Amino acid sequence: MRLFLDTANIEHIRHGVELGVVSGVTTNPSLVSKEGKVDYKTLVKDICCIVPGPVSTEVLSQEAAGMVAEAREIVTWAENIAVKVPCTLEGLKATAVLVREHVKVNMTLCFSLNQAILAAEAGATFVSPFVGRLDDIGEDGMQLVVDITRYLSYYKLPTQVIAASIRHPAHCLSAANAGAHIATVPYKVLLQMVEHPLTDIGVRRFADDWNKVMGTAGIVPPK
Ligand code: G3P
């Protein structure tokens, strides 16, 4: 499973890429707004320079014609852009046009297998089931990821699943077990993924054992 960062924060993206584990980014209007009153185009272009893989950039229009016009402009900003379009009738109509123009579309705000089936039929490159938001209303968000990945793999369809609205490291585990192609994770969750108390204990014990016999020369004990 590949990891994308679900953020528009440049420093967080830079750090994730530096760690060698982040190959794409997903943004949305809420995430961009968190960065303050920024120039959307400049911000997206900066992100695209930092991260090698696709940078999902959302359209703001709610009608197909507007979505298409926005998407045509957005794809001129960088080569590694995927346009995020909502799983609505207008979104499908826009996707049909954009796919013919070889634009990579990420169909977002997906909350059902039926929406994912339509996204795949429309030729979307990615479909993004929102796990946490389904959990929030008492549904099983990860079951949707299981259902979509099983469906796509059964029919050998090329659309890739981005498990989105990930809230904690256990969501990442389940997404990987479900066979999601990608999980897009908040920066905080990315940092949590590496943590394990036994790793910290092990690192300290190795250093202590070494130092007891060899002395501290050449090794810096962890704090
Ligand atoms: O990738 C979608 C994500 O940004 C939504 O997350 O936590 O607002 O449901 P959340």
Side-chain angles (χ1 to χ4, degrees):
M1 184 175 76
R2 287 157 72 203
L3 287 176
F4 289 1
L5 262 187
D6 194 30
T7 183
N9 183 282
I10 293 285
E11 289 319 308
H12 293 171
I13 294 166
R14 223 186 277 286
H15 188 210
V17 171
E18 192 178 62
L19 294 174
V21 296
V22 168
S23 54
V25 164
T26 52
T27 66
N28 63 38
S30 304
L31 292 171
V32 172
S33 305
K34 273 194 195 167
E35 301 309 304
K37 200 163 186 299
V38 291
D39 179 63
Y40 193 28
K41 179 175 173 177
T42 306
L43 180 68
V44 170
K45 283 177 88 166
D46 288 348
I47 295 173
C48 288
C49 287
I50 299 168
V51 74
V55 174
S56 288
T57 307
E58 194 146 347
V59 294
L60 296 167
S61 302
Q62 293 178 15
E63 287 81 39
M67 291 178 194
V68 169
E70 274 185 65
R72 284 178 179 152
E73 160 67 18
I74 288 171
V75 293
T76 65
W77 297 349
E79 287 196 348
N80 52 336
I81 283 191
V83 178
K84 241 177 163 185
V85 171
C87 274
T88 58
L89 281 179
E90 292 298 305
L92 280 171
K93 206 160 127 186
T95 299
V97 175
L98 294 171
V99 165
R100 280 201 297 275
E101 296 176 11
H102 309 289
V103 172
K104 285 195 170 79
V105 174
N106 174 359
M107 290 216 87
T108 187
L109 290 166
C110 172
F111 294 99
S112 73
L113 178 57
N114 277 335
Q115 288 178 317
I117 291 170
L118 295 170
E121 285 306 294
T125 302
F126 306 105
V127 63
S128 293
F130 273 35
V131 175
R133 291 194 194 182
L134 279 170
D135 292 353
D136 288 344
I137 59 161
E139 292 189 28
D140 184 350
M142 201 51 73
Q143 186 56 47
L144 177 60
V145 176
V146 171
D147 292 345
I148 298 173
T149 49
R150 190 192 294 144
Y151 167 79
L152 294 173
S153 122
Y154 184 83
Y155 288 104
K156 298 187 172 46
L157 296 169
T159 303
Q160 295 179 49
V161 175
I162 304 182
S165 185
I166 294 286
R167 303 278 174 77
H168 47 70
H171 270 157
C172 298
L173 284 181
S174 311
N177 285 328
H181 303 85
I182 298 147
T184 187
V185 303
Y187 179 67
K188 180 177 153 228
V189 174
L190 180 74
L191 299 185
Q192 288 173 324
M193 285 174 74
V194 76
E195 283 170 19
H196 199 289
L198 290 180
T199 304
D200 298 340
I201 290 168
V203 167
R204 170 159 282 285
R205 191 176 297 162
F206 287 154
D208 288 347
D209 288 347
W210 176 276
N211 292 344
K212 265 184 244 156
V213 175
M214 312 286 188
T216 53
I219 193 165
V220 183
K223 289 186 187 118

